[in-house]
Amino acid sequence: MTQSPQLTAVQDENQITANPWQALRAFTDARIALGRSGVSQPTSAQLAFQLAHAQARDAVHLALDFPALQAELQAAGFGASLRLHSAAADRHQYLQRPDLGRRLDEASRDTLTPHRQEGGYDLALVLADGLSALALKQNALPFLQALHDKLSGETWKLAPLCLVEQGRVAVADEVAQRLGARAVVILVGERPGLSSPDSLGLYFTQGPKVGLTDERRNCISNVRPAGMSYEEAAYRLHYLLSEGRRRHCSGVALKDETASQGQEALGSGNFLLAPPTP
């Protein structure tokens, strides 16, 4: 008589040999200390891996509903945003030609021209689907609200919010240069991992222009409820923005010193940095 898959899975779980490092799983989402069933991986771990892999693939190909995001942002008080498009015509080309995702198409350049102002802007905020539209859909608005709380009351002249379809990190440089912005931050969906299909990345550049390389940017990664909180990410980005404007630099020339200056304000700690017990 053939056993059902469900019964086999239950038997497999009942026969798992525990891993002595299992207690470490409380500190990470990494697939460690899974145990074993005989000489094989437990069925539950294998199924969880397959699910995570499918979610990561789906996140890469999921299309973002830009009109819905624009309406959501406007309803939250961020004003009318500009919808732009990279030089990558569609998702297929975007994945095969990273260079096209770093530049705007001609129509988007024309869209930006009327919004350039004499004297320029202090900061441009750009949102791009990147490699995970899910990350932008779930995390963009709550993060922007947290950042707005940090910037409110300060003298920041903000450019119109820009949304870029099929965009990569460097496309923000062209957006900011055409708007005349002295700094730019792009919120972009990061490459999905097997435990993080919704990770949002923040990239800050002072003095943006076409052709800059990654050493000119500061990155804050894994912004999402299961990763770095919106409040902590906004706190760190606000520090970089303020220091970048004061020092006229970003990237390798600007170190994120928030961990040493404001760890208590973040409400979180790192046990590796804690002083030794007397």
Side-chain angles (χ1 to χ4, degrees), residues 94-153:
Y94 170 84
L95 294 173
Q96 292 193 326
R97 291 286 305 275
D99 57 311
L100 296 180
R102 300 184 184 114
R103 297 297 304 271
L104 294 171
D105 63 11
E106 193 61 40
S108 296
R109 294 174 189 146
D110 293 340
T111 298
L112 290 175
T113 300
H115 296 277
R116 186 180 180 95
Q117 291 187 4
E118 185 177 353
Y121 302 96
D122 294 318
L123 177 65
L125 295 172
V126 180
L127 283 64
D129 45 9
L131 289 167
S132 174
L134 181 64
L136 207 65
K137 177 183 178 181
Q138 294 184 171
N139 303 310
L141 178 56
F143 168 74
L144 287 174
Q145 290 171 326
L147 180 62
H148 178 267
D149 292 342
K150 298 293 183 183
L151 298 179
S152 61

Side-chain angles (χ1 to χ4, degrees), residues 1 66 132 155 169 230 244 277:
M1 181 176 178
F66 277 92
S132 174
T155 56
V169 172
Y230 306 128
T277 302

Side-chain angles (χ1 to χ4, degrees), residues 40 61 257:
S40 302
H61 294 281
E257 298 177 345

Side-chain angles (χ1 to χ4, degrees), residues 1 70-71 95 148 191 197 203 206 210 227 243 247 263:
M1 181 176 178
Q70 284 180 295
L95 294 173
H148 178 267
R191 185 185 304 277
Y203 293 82
Q206 187 74 31
V210 173
E243 289 300 301
R247 304 184 199 179
Q263 195 66 53

Side-chain angles (χ1 to χ4, degrees), residues 70-89:
Q70 284 180 295
E72 188 178 15
L73 291 168
Q74 187 163 9
F78 288 96
S81 55
L82 304 178
R83 184 175 175 182
L84 311 173
H85 203 292
S86 77

Side-chain angles (χ1 to χ4, degrees), residues 16-19 25 32-37 40-42:
I16 291 178
T17 300
N19 188 292
R25 295 182 64 183
I32 63 171
L34 299 177
R36 60 181 175 84
S37 180
S40 302
Q41 183 171 250

